[in-house]
Amino acid sequence: MSTYRAYGISVASEIPLPPLPPTDRRPDASIRFGPVEAPRPPTRRTMTTFRGGAEDGVLVMPDVACVRVRRGREIVVERLDGAAEDAVRAMLLGPVLAILMSQRGLMTLHASAIAFDEQAVAFMGDAGWGKSTLAAWFNRRGRPLVADDIVAVRFDESSPRALPAVPQLKLTPEALCVLGDDPAGFPRVWPGTKKRLQAVRDRFVTASPILTRVYVLAPDARETIAPISASEAAIEFVRHSFAVRSLHQTAPDRYLREAARLAEAVRVRRLGRPLELERIDEVGKAVEADLEVEP
């Protein structure tokens, strides 16, 4: 069993998690194989499901695994027949860790984040709206990655901090081409999927920068940036929570308070952006200009 570090905690795992940096710290949580009592998906088309809450829950991903997460400390994995190891690993490093973080009291957002002058800037939005592509655009210009797809936030006194996640980006072949890379040089997230993995160990944060700015992505004909109110921002934080919705239903008051607190602590902008990947330079430069005017 090896011990890794992610989201500010150490995790001992029977399953190799090579994207994560190793650590010799005492484990805060563990991942092991074992039987998991859960309803099995009847067909390959069944959606990923979660049952449980803030103390104990089971995530089922068809054709991959049934995973039980307990008290933010224990992860038990039952791998389904024929599941690829890469698929199990992607499940653990994505939704399973998001559930673990939520059970530990952290806010988890469907967002990607980069470090900008020792502060964290996040891009939040629905799937396919360019969170990872924008983070990759900045990363290629020397801005360290904080997190891709899942941003976990912890408050230190009055300051929200974005926790270093997994040192990799998940990008579509089209995004890699626009960014100047050959998709053939990058492994798939798991066999049969479209997205590719890009390791960013040399451009990845080691500390937890203060989260100062969040851009809420929205499709638009051209790039536009406009501030939104704290009440609007709180709604967006709830809407773009990454953790499974039923998990928040077990403690809705707490989560709403955290969303309102975060909305008061950071500057939130709505970023209208064209969905054409070829225009990522325009969008990235508009964000750079906005950050430089009011960091």
Side-chain angles (χ1 to χ4, degrees):
M1 183 176 285
S2 300
T3 303
Y4 306 90
R5 188 160 179 81
Y7 294 107
I9 70 168
S10 54
V11 182
S13 177
E14 291 183 353
I15 301 170
L17 302 174
L20 296 181
T23 181
D24 55 5
R25 282 186 49 183
R26 181 178 178 179
D28 302 303
S30 65
I31 301 174
R32 63 177 176 84
F33 287 110
V36 175
E37 293 184 8
R40 295 301 192 267
T43 70
R44 293 178 62 88
R45 293 177 181 158
T46 300
M47 299 281 292
T48 296
T49 59
F50 176 82
R51 294 186 181 181
E55 290 294 322
D56 191 348
V58 175
L59 183 70
V60 180
M61 183 174 287
D63 301 318
V64 180
C66 299
V67 180
R68 188 166 197 170
V69 188
R70 295 175 178 151
R71 299 180 295 278
R73 295 195 299 270
E74 182 184 14
I75 297 171
V76 182
V77 181
E78 182 176 344
R79 181 173 171 178
L80 300 182
D81 291 343
E85 183 174 317
D86 288 348
V88 177
R89 183 179 298 111
M91 181 181 179
L92 291 172
L93 295 178
V96 172
L97 279 184
I99 294 170
L100 186 81
M101 294 301 102
S102 292
Q103 288 185 351
R104 295 178 72 88
L106 300 174
M107 172 172 273
T108 53
L109 300 173
H110 195 191
S112 297
I114 52 97
F116 193 94
D117 294 341
E118 300 183 354
Q119 298 176 350
V121 175
F123 306 104
M124 185 172 71
D126 291 336
W129 285 8
K131 301 179 299 296
S132 297
T133 307
L134 264 174
W137 188 90
F138 277 99
N139 190 245
R140 280 157 169 72
R141 283 155 181 76
R143 303 294 182 182
L145 180 71
V146 178
D148 179 39
D149 202 39
I150 306 170
V151 173
V153 180
R154 181 192 69 217
F155 271 89
D156 285 351
E157 297 179 352
S158 60
S159 298
R161 292 189 177 272
L163 305 180
V166 183
Q168 66 183 15
L169 287 154
K170 291 180 285 187
L171 300 165
T172 64
E174 293 82 4
L176 284 165
C177 288
V178 167
L179 293 167
D181 293 312
D182 181 0
F186 298 88
R188 296 179 187 270
V189 174
W190 69 72
T193 62
K194 184 178 180 181
K195 284 193 173 183
R196 310 301 174 96
L197 291 173
Q198 180 201 9
V200 293
R201 288 189 182 278
D202 57 336
R203 297 188 303 277
F204 186 71
V205 297
T206 55
S208 301
I210 295 175
L211 180 63
T212 59
R213 184 73 62 90
V214 176
Y215 291 92
V216 182
L217 303 185
D220 204 335
R222 60 186 181 87
E223 63 279 0
T224 59
I225 298 176
I228 65 176
S229 68
S231 59
E232 290 178 290
I235 292 171
E236 293 290 355
F237 289 141
V238 173
R239 178 188 171 204
H240 295 293
S241 161
F242 187 93
V244 182
R245 186 168 300 175
S246 59
L247 188 64
H248 296 145
Q249 292 174 352
T250 64
D253 292 342
R254 187 203 79 187
Y255 196 78
L256 289 172
R257 286 195 301 269
E258 290 175 349
R261 184 183 184 189
L262 183 59
E264 293 288 349
V266 303
R267 295 186 180 96
V268 184
R269 302 280 193 269
R270 193 175 303 282
L271 172 59
R273 58 144 302 185
L275 291 180
E276 296 90 348
L277 287 171
E278 294 76 12
R279 299 179 66 180
I280 189 64
D281 276 351
E282 300 171 33
V283 179
K285 289 174 182 177
V287 173
E288 276 187 327
D290 186 60
L291 289 168
E292 290 170 357
V293 169
E294 189 182 357

